[in-house]
Amino acid sequence: TWLKIQVAGLSGKAFVKWGNMWKEDLSKYNVIVVYGFPTIMKDLEAKLDAELPVGARVISHAFQFPNWKPIKQSESVFLYIKK
């Protein structure tokens, strides 16, 4: 994944952070990419809603958040903007 970031010319702008998202303070991020299973989407939606700044973008693959409406959808990829 880091190689794809370099090839795309995004070094220093994009990164992959491995860890426990439930313990991480997400308030410093303005773009989050998620591949979460349906069983976590409700709790993850609440965490993101509480921690992300207004205007943050959340991209979800395959599974939608239960209460947020996607701004844009392309096949199974959903884009949300935090209000």
Side-chain angles (χ1 to χ4, degrees):
T1 302
W2 64 269
L3 182 59
K4 289 181 182 181
I5 290 171
Q6 287 182 336
V7 169
L10 296 173
S11 294
K13 296 178 183 177
F15 63 93
V16 175
K17 177 158 174 98
W18 295 96
N20 185 332
M21 70 180 171
W22 302 111
K23 294 180 181 178
E24 181 74 22
D25 175 10
L26 302 175
S27 64
K28 59 188 169 205
Y29 301 107
N30 57 21
V31 177
I32 303 280
V33 179
V34 175
Y35 184 81
F37 292 100
T39 54
I40 70 160
M41 295 306 279
K42 182 178 179 182
D43 291 336
L44 182 56
E45 178 183 69
K47 178 175 176 59
L48 295 173
D49 198 36
E51 295 182 16
L52 290 180
V54 172
R57 291 168 286 170
V58 179
I59 300 141
S60 176
H61 180 262
F63 305 108
Q64 294 187 55
F65 291 105
N67 299 305
W68 288 358
K69 301 272 189 247
I71 300 300
K72 190 173 182 180
Q73 177 181 351
S74 178
E75 296 183 22
S76 62
V77 178
F78 305 92
L79 170 63
Y80 302 89
I81 298 180
K82 165 81 173 10
K83 295 180 180 181

